[in-house]
Amino acid sequence: MDDRILSIKNLHVKYENDEMTVYAVNGIDLEVRRGETVGLVGETGAGKTTTAFAVMGLLPKKIGSISEGEIILGDIDITHATEADMRLLRGNKISMIFQDPMTSLNPLITVGDQIGEVLELHRKEMDKEEREKRVDALLELVGLPAERKTEYPHQFSGGMKQRIVIAMALACEPELLIADEPTTALDVTIQAQVLDMMTGLKAKLGTAIILITHDLGVVAETCDKVAIMYAGEIIEFGSLEDIFAGEKHHPYTVGLFGSIPSMEENVQRLKPINGLMPDPCNLPSGCKFHARCPRATEKCRTCIPEKFEEQGHIIYCHLFNENTEKEV
């Protein structure tokens, strides 16, 4: 039995206007299977959120488009789906938790009505009483008292708003949940509670999760597989053990781990990755990371790295090509 929930193949996404073309996602491949959590990790501008918007069919009209590749959700080709088709899928088979819960909730509508609206759209067989019971159950599921459903978003803290957004996303028990920085701006205690809740819900409902984050600590706690993104490409992919305990890594991955503060070393400054993400309007030739890579060779500047794969651990880097290994 094929348990793939999502299959992305050679996805290219660009934003265009009269002045420029932004190449945001450049040929990524990704699979997500039922009940697993896949982390998308990388700096701001790596293309993580654009990938999520492409999957949700939420790219900006007129300027954002999928120029190549395909996205298959179950047996549905999202790449060629109409807006009417996507409205039936969003909130039902696939849901998204956006970065800022403040902008995801309508300040003029009670939180109970906002959760109930999802059920009204996708569960038409439910009558009003059944919807009310389901709203109560969802609020209790995310750790909020059901009686607060008549209150408005401004009456809740940031962590509570995030829980409400999660309740909305889970209302119809979607097959795939995309969480875009779900713990941003939350204090560490609430962050831990939200992550524990998401892990518990995954186990209870069997929902697959794509977790977009900058925080490798969050990845270590929640993910089964990890995709490292840079300049619109997945440059390393593997299991949690491959990424955190493996011996072979892309230099960018090494840099990400090197910039994490150590509990054992007493240092005055962190170790950042030198340089900046390349301009997506004018991407460099060869390996996109070569200008910032301490181990770059001439081949890195001119040739696109081929895929190196070892027991499911994938790295796109010339360091692991036998022909160049001696040169480095």
Side-chain angles (χ1 to χ4, degrees):
M1 179 179 176
D2 189 352
D3 62 350
R4 281 179 298 181
I5 296 293
L6 180 71
S7 178
I8 300 175
K9 297 180 180 177
N10 193 35
L11 180 66
H12 291 254
V13 180
K14 61 183 179 180
Y15 300 108
E16 292 182 282
N17 60 24
D18 294 336
E19 299 178 357
M20 66 181 72
T21 300
V22 176
Y23 300 95
V25 176
N26 305 297
I28 70 168
D29 298 298
L30 186 67
E31 286 188 352
V32 183
R33 298 185 179 276
R34 190 176 304 278
E36 75 177 8
T37 300
V38 177
L40 278 185
V41 181
E43 294 171 279
T44 298
K48 306 183 300 296
T49 299
T50 293
T51 300
F53 282 172
V55 173
M56 292 291 296
L58 292 175
L59 292 171
K61 303 297 182 185
K62 298 184 180 180
I63 64 168
S65 65
I66 297 173
S67 57
E68 193 176 339
E70 64 178 17
I71 303 170
I72 307 295
L73 178 67
D75 57 356
I76 302 168
D77 186 352
I78 288 178
T79 322
H80 300 103
T82 65
E83 180 57 31
D85 293 333
M86 291 307 301
R87 278 199 296 269
L88 294 175
L89 291 174
R90 285 194 294 261
N92 189 16
K93 286 186 174 295
I94 179 171
S95 292
M96 184 168 178
I97 303 170
F98 296 92
Q99 282 193 33
D100 186 2
M102 302 282 286
T103 58
S104 302
L105 295 169
N106 189 324
L108 303 179
I109 302 176
T110 64
V111 297
D113 285 345
Q114 293 187 59
I115 298 171
E117 184 179 17
V118 180
L119 298 168
E120 191 174 352
L121 288 171
H122 297 294
R123 295 292 185 268
K124 297 186 183 298
E125 71 278 6
M126 283 186 171
D127 58 30
K128 186 174 181 181
E129 184 178 350
E130 289 175 320
R131 286 199 301 270
E132 289 296 323
K133 288 182 179 178
R134 176 64 176 156
V135 169
D136 292 350
L138 285 164
L139 286 171
E140 296 287 350
L141 187 66
V142 297
L144 292 174
E147 58 267 22
R148 297 199 65 180
K149 66 183 178 182
T150 57
E151 298 181 16
Y152 292 85
H154 73 271
Q155 295 174 276
F156 295 86
S157 68
M160 290 178 176
K161 289 189 184 79
Q162 193 65 288
R163 290 167 184 257
I164 293 164
V165 171
I166 292 172
M168 291 172 63
L170 295 172
C172 296
E173 298 186 2
E175 295 178 357
L176 176 65
L177 176 65
I178 301 175
D180 188 1
E181 300 279 1
T183 57
T184 296
L186 302 181
D187 63 66
V188 291
T189 303
I190 301 300
Q191 181 185 91
Q193 291 175 2
V194 169
L195 292 173
D196 286 345
M197 181 186 65
M198 288 177 60
T199 302
L201 293 175
K202 181 186 75 168
K204 182 178 180 180
L205 303 177
T207 301
I209 300 175
I210 296 178
L211 177 64
I212 299 172
T213 182
H214 297 94
D215 192 333
L216 288 167
V218 169
V219 170
E221 289 290 328
T222 58
C223 294
D224 303 301
K225 295 178 181 176
V226 186
I228 307 293
M229 287 194 72
Y230 186 82
E233 300 176 358
I234 292 178
I235 58 172
E236 184 169 355
F237 177 83
S239 66
L240 193 67
E241 185 178 355
D242 290 334
I243 302 301
F244 280 79
E247 295 180 358
K248 297 176 180 178
H249 293 297
H250 192 284
Y252 180 63
T253 307
V254 174
L256 290 178
F257 278 99
S259 63
I260 299 174
S262 172
M263 298 292 289
E264 299 175 356
E265 296 181 27
N266 184 16
V267 296
Q268 293 184 338
R269 296 181 63 86
L270 299 178
K271 301 175 183 177
I273 302 172
N274 293 327
L276 299 172
M277 187 80 70
D279 181 0
C281 299
N282 185 27
L283 291 169
S285 59
C287 174
K288 306 296 187 293
F289 186 61
H290 77 255
R292 305 173 69 186
C293 181
R295 304 184 68 182
T297 66
E298 186 58 36
K299 187 170 185 177
C300 300
R301 298 178 178 87
T302 56
C303 299
I304 296 174
E306 295 183 0
K307 180 168 73 173
F308 168 85
E309 184 169 0
E310 190 174 76
Q311 298 179 335
H313 186 194
I314 297 170
I315 305 172
Y316 288 89
C317 180
H318 291 303
L319 289 174
F320 304 102
N321 183 310
E322 291 181 0
N323 297 325
T324 60
E325 200 172 64
K326 294 180 181 180
E327 300 175 12
V328 179

